[in-house]
Each structure stands twice: as C-alpha cells, then as structure tokens.
Amino acid sequence: NTLSSSSSSLKKKKKNSELFTLTYGALVRHLLLDLESPEEVNKQLDKMGHNIGIRLVDDFLAKTNTRRCRNFSEATKTIAETGFKMFLGVTARVSPVDDKECKIVFNENPLTDFVELPEKLQQLRYCNLLCGVIRGALEQISMKVEVDIARDPLKGDDKFELHMKLVEYVNEEYPFKDD
Amino acid sequence: QRRRKKTQYISLFCSKIEVFESTNQKNEYECRLADVGFDVGVRMLELLVHREKAGKRENRILGILSFLHTNVWKSLFGKTADSLERGTSADDEYMISDHDLLVNRYISVPRDMGHLNCGSFAAGIVEGVLKSAGFPARVTAHSVASEGLSRPKTTILIKFAPEVIERDERLGS
C-alpha cells in the first residue's frame, strides 16, 4: 500500500512539473522561430534567466530563512543543496575546485523532460536559462559569476554539470554619497 | 511542494512577458502568449490522452469541454475550472471560467498596457488542445467582474468552427 502511494505521489510531482517543462519547451521553440540563430537564443535565455534570478533571491530568502551567504563557497553550496531542491525539485551536489570555482552536478532536470535536440541545434544551450538564473541571483548578493554548461545529457553526456567561476565580489554601491 | 513549483513557474512566466515586451502592441503581446500556450496545449493533449484516457478520443463537444474543464485544468493548474457554460449570444460559443487563474494571480499589468490579459496564455492552451483533438475553435480570454469576487474572474471564450457544430449535431441525432 505504501508502495502505491509513493508511486502516485511521484506521479503527482511529475504532473505538476509538466506545465513547467512544456512551457519552457514552447518558449525555447518560439525563440528559435523568432531569432533563428541558436547563439542568439542562448543569449536571450541567459538574459531571461538573469531577470528571473534577481527576483528569485528575495523569494528564496523569504521562504528559507537562511543566513546570507558570505562567500562564493557558501553561496554555491546553498544553491546546489537548497535552491535546486526548492525550485526544480532536483537533488544537486556541489564539488568545489577551489574557493573561486566549482561544479554543480545533477541527474534530473525538469526543464529537459521529453526533450531531444536535433542535429542542427547542437549549438543550442537548452538550459541556458538556468545559468542566467544563477548569475542573476548571485549578482543580488554582490557576486559576479560566470556559469557554463559543462556536461549536458541532451548532447550525450551522462549527467548535467554546471561549471561556476567567481569573477569578483562586487561592492554594494549606495545611490547617494554620505558626505 | 506544489506551491514551490507554482512560484518558479510564475517567475518564468513573468520573464516571458518581459521578453515579449520588445513588441509594443498589446495585440501582438497577447498573440505571442497565445502562440506559446498553443504549443503547450498540443503536447498536453497527447500526454493526457495517453495517460488518463488510455488513448480514447472524444468526439462530442460536451466531452471535449468536460475534458478541458476537468482533466486539463487539473493537470495544469491543480484544480478543475470553476464553471463551464454555454454562451448566451450564440450557439457555437462556450465559456470556461476560473475565479483565480494561476497565470493572472501574481502579475500586475503596467498602466500603459491597458487591458492586456495574461489569460491569453491559457486561451492558447485551450486552443491547442481543441485543435489537436479535432475541434478547431477561436479561443480568447476575458476579464469579467463578478459579484462576490474581489478580483475579476478570467473567462475563456470558445467559439467553435461551423464544421464542428455541424458534426456534433449529426452525431447527436
């Protein structure tokens, strides 16, 4: 009995993410129709992700009551372990390379359920929105980062891997001078 | 769990609105939203028919409307639609209403956009489902003030193509 209820809750979880998956797919498809070049679409996805990311941080902080991350390592750990779970329902692991670089690895990704990339779209970074989201979110806590898709199952790899590099800590600028 | 998914979905949706912000015309905006919705609808039908109805196809208007109101709405928005009615002004019109449509809940439209309705996305989904199921129709979204509700409800107006009405009448007799 517990087996059937857990499988039905898994089904429910999948169902709820379907709207998300399908909408993202339709969005990418329409961007491709409009912009034609996969490179342009990559840029647009990153930009959109960025817009989402800068808003998402507030939402995240409000919901989780976490302490503000003080550095790159803490931030990436929080993103991988809490953020991914909360917003994508995905369990991700972070492997730091050093204190300015790390990899985030995960096996599932609701954005890419049902998706197959045709040959001529190999240049397309389908999940680029995710990179933009992370970039935008970290920007809100004064970190300028670069995020790349290092491994992508849509291109034949065995798992998803995002490669993150800290470019610099950005000092918060006040809009007015104190003196 | 579901609420969290909703948040991120809404964020995605808001950013979509921003992407389309580059087109200034309100009409174009709604068309674009509807287009994306259409794509979603087409695939949603495939998924749902396969999963929930074991591949059985609807061939009556009331059947497909009920499918929309119950199965499709539940799958997309987590609940059935609030009402399904026959249009009063024409024989080929039906309306599905939702008092609190998910996509309209968190979005505030800037004043210069006037009567932009993000329900166009939902209308697009409905149109995609209907077209794929063999019931071509023109589908639009409208905000309707309603007694007892703090916000206007969203009404999806469905106007079936003449051949759909004719076919349904033939099947009925």
Side-chain angles (χ1 to χ4, degrees), chain A residues 11-13 15-20 22-27 29-31 34 44 48-49 51-52 55-56 59 63 85-89 110-111 114 129, chain B residues 1-5 7-9 11-16 18-20 32 35-37 39-40 43-44 47-48 51-52 74-78 102 121 125:
Chain A
K11 261 194 243 163
K12 195 170 184 193
K13 194 157 81 153
K15 269 168 81 167
N16 287 331
S17 66
E18 261 155 27
L19 177 58
F20 185 59
L22 289 180
T23 304
Y24 187 70
L27 183 66
R29 194 167 159 264
H30 277 266
L31 283 176
D34 287 341
Q44 190 68 276
M48 287 171 63
N51 279 334
I52 296 179
R55 291 187 183 84
L56 214 60
D59 192 48
K63 289 210 168 95
K85 192 82 192 155
M86 194 167 148
F87 292 110
L88 293 176
L111 289 178
F114 318 130
L129 189 98
Chain B
Q1 175 72 4
R2 201 163 35 127
R3 262 181 57 218
R4 295 174 193 151
K5 291 271 167 59
T7 312
Q8 122 232 57
Y9 172 66
S11 299
L12 177 64
F13 194 72
C14 291
S15 94
K16 233 194 318 183
E18 285 187 5
V19 170
F20 294 149
R32 300 284 285 270
D35 282 345
V36 177
D39 269 4
V40 175
R43 285 161 186 79
M44 204 69 216
L47 261 177
L48 285 179
R51 189 170 51 211
E52 294 186 15
K74 193 123 198 253
S75 236
L76 293 176
F77 306 122
L102 178 68
F121 180 65
I125 295 181

Side-chain angles (χ1 to χ4, degrees), chain B residues 13-30:
Chain B
F13 194 72
C14 291
S15 94
K16 233 194 318 183
I17 308 267
E18 285 187 5
V19 170
F20 294 149
E21 222 176 336
S22 55
T23 53
N24 296 323
Q25 300 266 326
K26 168 219 159 196
N27 284 330
E28 231 182 294
Y29 228 84
E30 290 192 346

